[in-house]
Amino acid sequence: MLRGIISHLPELFGSLLIGILFVQSAVDKIFDWKGNMEWLTGHFSKTIFAKTVPPMLAALTLMELATGLLSLAGIVWFLAVGSTIVIFCSATLGASTIIALFMGQRVAKDYPGAAILVPYFLLLIVVIYLTKPSV
């Protein structure tokens, strides 16, 4: 078992970072819904997303929470079963979430905000690659 854990440390540490990142982000949105809504409403006020901020925020919050919890569950699943399939699924959902966030930042012309997302996306791509199921 220890050998299996050691050989999968990159996936496990990546999954832990992803879990922390997305759970914290979702929890922040949940506990400061009003503040996030105000900021995003201003952020997207001159874009095609101006009238869709509430459902957009709800969808992103759910995607972030699902990604984070699934990522943490993936670690437990790996320790129990020895499979990284749940980590793969969480990283795939996380990449989709980052793409949605990236698109929003680009549409809002927040280029520095979009650029900050790239390292997270690259981490997710690496985790996807490391955990991809054999076909």
Coordinates of all heavy atoms in Angstrom, one line a residue, residues 17-79:
L17 N -4.4 19.9 -3.5 CA -4.4 21.3 -3.8 C -5.7 21.7 -4.5 O -6.3 22.7 -4.2 CB -3.2 21.6 -4.7 CG -2.9 23.1 -4.9 CD1 -1.4 23.4 -4.9 CD2 -3.5 23.7 -6.1
I18 N -6.1 20.9 -5.5 CA -7.4 21.2 -6.2 C -8.5 21.2 -5.2 O -9.4 22.1 -5.3 CB -7.6 20.1 -7.3 CG1 -6.5 20.3 -8.4 CG2 -9.0 20.2 -7.9 CD1 -6.4 19.1 -9.4
G19 N -8.6 20.3 -4.3 CA -9.7 20.2 -3.3 C -9.7 21.5 -2.5 O -10.8 22.1 -2.3
I20 N -8.6 21.9 -2.0 CA -8.5 23.1 -1.1 C -8.9 24.3 -1.9 O -9.7 25.1 -1.5 CB -7.1 23.2 -0.5 CG1 -6.8 22.1 0.5 CG2 -6.9 24.6 0.1 CD1 -5.3 22.0 0.9
L21 N -8.3 24.4 -3.1 CA -8.6 25.6 -4.0 C -10.1 25.8 -4.2 O -10.7 26.8 -4.0 CB -7.9 25.4 -5.3 CG -8.2 26.4 -6.4 CD1 -7.7 27.8 -6.1 CD2 -7.7 25.9 -7.8
F22 N -10.7 24.7 -4.7 CA -12.1 24.8 -5.1 C -13.1 24.9 -3.9 O -14.1 25.6 -4.0 CB -12.5 23.7 -6.1 CG -12.0 24.0 -7.5 CD1 -10.8 23.4 -8.0 CD2 -12.6 24.9 -8.3 CE1 -10.4 23.6 -9.2 CE2 -12.2 25.1 -9.6 CZ -11.0 24.5 -10.1
V23 N -12.9 24.1 -2.9 CA -13.8 24.2 -1.7 C -13.7 25.6 -1.1 O -14.7 26.2 -0.8 CB -13.4 23.1 -0.7 CG1 -14.2 23.3 0.6 CG2 -13.8 21.7 -1.3
Q24 N -12.5 26.1 -0.9 CA -12.3 27.4 -0.3 C -13.0 28.5 -1.2 O -13.7 29.3 -0.7 CB -10.8 27.8 -0.1 CG -10.6 29.1 0.6 CD -10.7 30.3 -0.3 OE1 -10.4 30.3 -1.5 NE2 -11.3 31.4 0.3
S25 N -12.8 28.4 -2.5 CA -13.5 29.4 -3.4 C -15.0 29.3 -3.3 O -15.7 30.3 -3.3 CB -13.0 29.1 -4.8 OG -13.5 30.1 -5.7
A26 N -15.5 28.1 -3.3 CA -17.0 27.9 -3.2 C -17.5 28.4 -1.9 O -18.5 29.1 -1.8 CB -17.4 26.4 -3.4
V27 N -16.8 28.0 -0.8 CA -17.2 28.5 0.5 C -17.2 30.0 0.7 O -18.1 30.6 1.2 CB -16.4 27.8 1.6 CG1 -16.6 28.4 3.0 CG2 -16.7 26.3 1.7
D28 N -16.2 30.6 0.1 CA -16.2 32.1 0.1 C -17.4 32.7 -0.6 O -18.0 33.6 -0.1 CB -14.9 32.6 -0.6 CG -14.9 34.1 -0.7 OD1 -14.8 34.8 0.3 OD2 -15.1 34.6 -1.9
K29 N -17.8 32.1 -1.8 CA -18.9 32.6 -2.5 C -20.2 32.3 -1.7 O -21.1 33.2 -1.7 CB -19.0 31.9 -3.9 CG -18.0 32.4 -4.9 CD -18.1 31.6 -6.1 CE -17.1 32.1 -7.2 NZ -15.7 32.0 -6.8
I30 N -20.3 31.2 -1.0 CA -21.5 30.9 -0.2 C -21.7 31.9 0.9 O -22.7 32.4 1.2 CB -21.5 29.4 0.2 CG1 -21.6 28.5 -1.0 CG2 -22.6 29.2 1.3 CD1 -21.3 27.0 -0.7
F31 N -20.6 32.1 1.7 CA -20.6 32.9 2.9 C -20.6 34.4 2.6 O -20.9 35.2 3.5 CB -19.6 32.5 3.9 CG -19.9 31.2 4.6 CD1 -19.2 30.0 4.2 CD2 -20.9 31.1 5.6 CE1 -19.6 28.8 4.8 CE2 -21.2 29.9 6.2 CZ -20.5 28.8 5.8
D32 N -20.1 34.8 1.4 CA -20.1 36.2 1.1 C -20.8 36.4 -0.3 O -20.3 37.0 -1.2 CB -18.7 36.7 1.0 CG -18.7 38.3 0.8 OD1 -19.7 38.9 1.1 OD2 -17.6 38.7 0.3
W33 N -22.0 35.7 -0.3 CA -22.8 35.8 -1.6 C -23.1 37.2 -2.0 O -22.9 37.5 -3.2 CB -24.1 35.0 -1.4 CG -24.9 34.9 -2.6 CD1 -25.9 35.7 -3.1 CD2 -24.7 33.9 -3.6 NE1 -26.4 35.2 -4.3 CE2 -25.7 34.1 -4.7 CE3 -23.8 32.8 -3.8 CZ2 -25.8 33.4 -5.8 CZ3 -23.9 32.0 -4.9 CH2 -24.9 32.3 -5.9
K34 N -23.5 38.1 -1.1 CA -23.8 39.4 -1.4 C -22.6 40.2 -2.0 O -22.7 40.9 -3.0 CB -24.4 40.2 -0.2 CG -24.8 41.6 -0.5 CD -25.4 42.2 0.7 CE -25.8 43.7 0.4 NZ -26.1 44.5 1.6
G35 N -21.5 40.1 -1.3 CA -20.3 40.7 -1.7 C -19.8 40.3 -3.1 O -19.4 41.1 -4.0
N36 N -19.9 38.9 -3.3 CA -19.5 38.4 -4.6 C -20.4 38.9 -5.7 O -20.0 39.2 -6.8 CB -19.4 36.9 -4.6 CG -18.1 36.4 -4.0 OD1 -17.1 36.3 -4.6 ND2 -18.2 36.0 -2.7
M37 N -21.7 38.9 -5.4 CA -22.7 39.3 -6.3 C -22.5 40.8 -6.7 O -22.5 41.1 -7.9 CB -24.1 39.1 -5.8 CG -25.2 39.4 -6.8 SD -25.3 38.2 -8.1 CE -25.9 36.8 -7.2
E38 N -22.2 41.6 -5.8 CA -22.0 43.0 -6.0 C -20.7 43.2 -6.9 O -20.8 44.0 -7.9 CB -21.8 43.8 -4.7 CG -23.1 44.0 -4.0 CD -22.9 44.6 -2.6 OE1 -21.8 45.0 -2.3 OE2 -23.9 44.7 -1.9
W39 N -19.7 42.5 -6.6 CA -18.4 42.6 -7.3 C -18.6 42.1 -8.8 O -18.2 42.8 -9.7 CB -17.3 41.9 -6.6 CG -16.0 42.1 -7.3 CD1 -15.1 43.2 -7.1 CD2 -15.4 41.3 -8.3 NE1 -14.1 43.1 -8.0 CE2 -14.2 41.9 -8.7 CE3 -15.8 40.1 -9.0 CZ2 -13.3 41.4 -9.7 CZ3 -14.9 39.6 -9.9 CH2 -13.7 40.2 -10.3
L40 N -19.2 41.0 -8.9 CA -19.4 40.4 -10.2 C -20.4 41.2 -11.1 O -20.2 41.3 -12.3 CB -19.9 39.0 -10.1 CG -18.8 38.0 -9.7 CD1 -19.5 36.6 -9.3 CD2 -17.7 37.8 -10.7
T41 N -21.4 41.8 -10.5 CA -22.3 42.6 -11.2 C -21.6 43.8 -11.8 O -21.8 44.2 -13.0 CB -23.5 43.1 -10.3 OG1 -24.2 42.0 -9.8 CG2 -24.5 44.0 -11.0
G42 N -20.7 44.4 -11.0 CA -19.9 45.5 -11.6 C -18.9 45.1 -12.6 O -18.7 45.7 -13.7
H43 N -18.3 43.9 -12.3 CA -17.3 43.3 -13.2 C -17.9 43.0 -14.6 O -17.2 43.2 -15.6 CB -16.8 42.1 -12.6 CG -15.5 41.5 -13.2 ND1 -14.3 42.2 -13.1 CD2 -15.3 40.3 -13.7 CE1 -13.4 41.5 -13.7 NE2 -13.9 40.3 -14.1
F44 N -19.1 42.6 -14.7 CA -19.7 42.2 -15.9 C -20.7 43.2 -16.4 O -21.5 42.9 -17.4 CB -20.4 40.8 -15.8 CG -19.4 39.7 -15.6 CD1 -19.2 39.0 -14.4 CD2 -18.6 39.3 -16.7 CE1 -18.3 38.0 -14.3 CE2 -17.7 38.3 -16.6 CZ -17.5 37.6 -15.4
S45 N -20.8 44.4 -15.8 CA -21.8 45.3 -16.2 C -21.8 45.7 -17.7 O -22.9 46.1 -18.2 CB -21.7 46.6 -15.3 OG -20.5 47.3 -15.6
K46 N -20.7 45.7 -18.3 CA -20.6 46.2 -19.7 C -20.4 45.0 -20.6 O -19.8 45.1 -21.7 CB -19.6 47.2 -19.9 CG -19.9 48.5 -19.1 CD -18.8 49.5 -19.2 CE -19.1 50.7 -18.4 NZ -18.1 51.7 -18.2
T47 N -20.9 43.8 -20.3 CA -20.6 42.6 -21.1 C -21.9 41.9 -21.4 O -23.0 42.3 -20.9 CB -19.7 41.6 -20.3 OG1 -20.5 41.0 -19.3 CG2 -18.5 42.2 -19.8
I48 N -21.8 40.9 -22.2 CA -23.0 40.1 -22.6 C -23.6 39.3 -21.4 O -24.7 38.8 -21.4 CB -22.7 39.1 -23.7 CG1 -21.6 38.2 -23.4 CG2 -22.4 39.9 -25.0 CD1 -21.4 37.0 -24.4
F49 N -22.8 39.2 -20.3 CA -23.2 38.5 -19.1 C -23.9 39.4 -18.1 O -24.2 38.9 -17.0 CB -22.0 37.8 -18.5 CG -21.3 36.8 -19.3 CD1 -20.0 36.7 -19.5 CD2 -22.1 35.8 -20.0 CE1 -19.4 35.8 -20.3 CE2 -21.5 34.9 -20.8 CZ -20.1 34.8 -20.9
A50 N -24.1 40.7 -18.4 CA -24.6 41.6 -17.4 C -25.9 41.1 -16.7 O -26.0 41.3 -15.5 CB -24.8 43.0 -18.0
K51 N -26.8 40.6 -17.5 CA -28.1 40.2 -16.9 C -28.1 38.7 -16.4 O -29.1 38.3 -15.9 CB -29.2 40.4 -17.9 CG -29.3 41.8 -18.3 CD -30.4 42.1 -19.3 CE -30.5 43.6 -19.5 NZ -31.3 44.0 -20.6
T52 N -27.0 38.0 -16.5 CA -26.9 36.6 -16.1 C -26.0 36.4 -14.9 O -25.7 35.2 -14.6 CB -26.5 35.7 -17.2 OG1 -25.1 36.1 -17.6 CG2 -27.4 35.9 -18.4
V53 N -25.7 37.4 -14.1 CA -24.7 37.2 -13.0 C -25.3 36.3 -11.9 O -24.6 35.4 -11.5 CB -24.3 38.6 -12.4 CG1 -23.5 38.4 -11.1 CG2 -23.5 39.4 -13.5
P54 N -26.5 36.4 -11.5 CA -27.0 35.5 -10.4 C -26.9 34.0 -10.8 O -26.3 33.2 -10.1 CB -28.4 36.0 -10.1 CG -28.4 37.4 -10.5 CD -27.5 37.5 -11.7
P55 N -27.5 33.6 -12.0 CA -27.4 32.2 -12.3 C -25.9 31.8 -12.6 O -25.6 30.6 -12.3 CB -28.3 32.0 -13.5 CG -28.5 33.4 -14.1 CD -28.3 34.3 -12.9
M56 N -25.2 32.7 -13.1 CA -23.8 32.4 -13.4 C -23.0 32.1 -12.1 O -22.2 31.1 -12.0 CB -23.1 33.6 -14.2 CG -22.1 33.2 -15.2 SD -21.6 34.6 -16.2 CE -21.3 36.0 -15.1
L57 N -23.2 33.0 -11.1 CA -22.5 32.8 -9.9 C -23.0 31.5 -9.2 O -22.2 30.8 -8.6 CB -22.8 34.0 -8.9 CG -22.2 34.0 -7.6 CD1 -20.7 33.8 -7.6 CD2 -22.6 35.2 -6.8
A58 N -24.3 31.2 -9.3 CA -24.8 29.9 -8.7 C -24.2 28.7 -9.4 O -23.7 27.8 -8.7 CB -26.3 29.9 -8.8
A59 N -24.1 28.8 -10.7 CA -23.5 27.6 -11.4 C -22.1 27.4 -11.1 O -21.6 26.3 -10.9 CB -23.7 27.8 -12.9
L60 N -21.3 28.5 -11.1 CA -19.9 28.4 -10.8 C -19.6 28.0 -9.4 O -18.7 27.2 -9.1 CB -19.2 29.8 -11.0 CG -18.9 30.1 -12.5 CD1 -18.5 31.5 -12.7 CD2 -17.9 29.1 -13.1
T61 N -20.5 28.4 -8.4 CA -20.3 28.0 -7.1 C -20.5 26.5 -7.0 O -19.8 25.8 -6.3 CB -21.3 28.8 -6.1 OG1 -21.0 30.2 -6.3 CG2 -21.1 28.3 -4.7
L62 N -21.6 26.0 -7.6 CA -21.8 24.5 -7.6 C -20.7 23.8 -8.3 O -20.3 22.7 -7.8 CB -23.2 24.2 -8.3 CG -24.4 24.7 -7.5 CD1 -25.7 24.5 -8.4 CD2 -24.5 23.9 -6.2
M63 N -20.2 24.3 -9.4 CA -19.1 23.6 -10.1 C -17.9 23.6 -9.2 O -17.2 22.5 -9.1 CB -18.8 24.3 -11.4 CG -19.9 24.1 -12.5 SD -19.5 25.1 -14.0 CE -18.2 24.1 -14.7
E64 N -17.6 24.7 -8.6 CA -16.4 24.7 -7.7 C -16.5 23.8 -6.5 O -15.6 23.0 -6.2 CB -16.2 26.1 -7.2 CG -15.6 27.1 -8.2 CD -15.4 28.5 -7.7 OE1 -15.9 28.9 -6.7 OE2 -14.7 29.2 -8.4
L65 N -17.7 23.8 -5.9 CA -17.9 22.9 -4.7 C -17.9 21.5 -5.1 O -17.2 20.6 -4.5 CB -19.3 23.2 -4.1 CG -19.6 22.6 -2.7 CD1 -18.5 22.9 -1.7 CD2 -20.9 23.0 -2.2
A66 N -18.5 21.1 -6.2 CA -18.5 19.7 -6.7 C -17.0 19.3 -7.0 O -16.6 18.2 -6.7 CB -19.4 19.6 -7.9
T67 N -16.3 20.2 -7.7 CA -14.9 19.8 -8.0 C -14.1 19.6 -6.8 O -13.4 18.6 -6.7 CB -14.2 21.0 -8.9 OG1 -14.9 21.1 -10.1 CG2 -12.8 20.7 -9.1
G68 N -14.2 20.5 -5.8 CA -13.4 20.4 -4.6 C -13.7 19.2 -3.8 O -12.8 18.4 -3.3
L69 N -15.0 18.9 -3.6 CA -15.4 17.8 -2.8 C -15.1 16.5 -3.5 O -14.6 15.5 -2.9 CB -16.9 17.9 -2.5 CG -17.3 19.0 -1.5 CD1 -18.8 19.0 -1.4 CD2 -16.6 18.9 -0.2
L70 N -15.3 16.4 -4.8 CA -14.9 15.2 -5.6 C -13.4 15.0 -5.6 O -13.0 13.8 -5.5 CB -15.4 15.4 -7.0 CG -15.4 14.2 -7.9 CD1 -16.3 13.1 -7.3 CD2 -15.9 14.5 -9.3
S71 N -12.6 16.0 -5.6 CA -11.2 15.9 -5.5 C -10.8 15.3 -4.2 O -9.9 14.4 -4.1 CB -10.5 17.3 -5.7 OG -9.2 17.1 -5.9
L72 N -11.3 15.8 -3.1 CA -11.0 15.3 -1.8 C -11.5 13.9 -1.6 O -10.8 13.0 -1.1 CB -11.6 16.2 -0.7 CG -11.0 17.6 -0.7 CD1 -11.7 18.5 0.3 CD2 -9.5 17.6 -0.5
A73 N -12.7 13.6 -2.2 CA -13.2 12.2 -2.2 C -12.3 11.3 -3.0 O -12.2 10.1 -2.6 CB -14.7 12.2 -2.7
G74 N -11.7 11.8 -4.0 CA -10.8 11.0 -4.9 C -9.6 10.5 -4.1 O -9.1 9.4 -4.3
I75 N -9.1 11.3 -3.2 CA -8.0 10.9 -2.3 C -8.4 9.7 -1.5 O -7.8 8.7 -1.4 CB -7.5 12.1 -1.5 CG1 -6.9 13.2 -2.4 CG2 -6.4 11.6 -0.5 CD1 -6.6 14.5 -1.7
V76 N -9.6 9.9 -0.8 CA -10.1 8.8 0.0 C -10.4 7.6 -0.8 O -10.0 6.5 -0.4 CB -11.4 9.3 0.7 CG1 -12.1 8.1 1.5 CG2 -11.2 10.5 1.6
W77 N -11.0 7.7 -2.0 CA -11.2 6.6 -2.9 C -9.9 5.9 -3.3 O -9.8 4.7 -3.3 CB -11.9 7.1 -4.1 CG -12.3 6.0 -5.1 CD1 -11.7 5.6 -6.2 CD2 -13.4 5.1 -4.9 NE1 -12.3 4.6 -6.8 CE2 -13.4 4.2 -6.0 CE3 -14.4 4.9 -4.0 CZ2 -14.3 3.2 -6.2 CZ3 -15.3 3.9 -4.2 CH2 -15.3 3.0 -5.3
F78 N -8.9 6.7 -3.6 CA -7.6 6.1 -3.9 C -7.1 5.3 -2.7 O -6.6 4.1 -2.9 CB -6.6 7.1 -4.3 CG -5.2 6.5 -4.5 CD1 -4.9 5.9 -5.7 CD2 -4.3 6.6 -3.5 CE1 -3.7 5.3 -5.9 CE2 -3.0 6.0 -3.7 CZ -2.7 5.3 -4.9
L79 N -7.1 5.8 -1.5 CA -6.6 5.1 -0.3 C -7.4 3.9 0.0 O -6.9 2.9 0.5 CB -6.6 6.1 0.9 CG -5.6 7.3 0.8 CD1 -5.8 8.2 1.9 CD2 -4.2 6.8 0.6

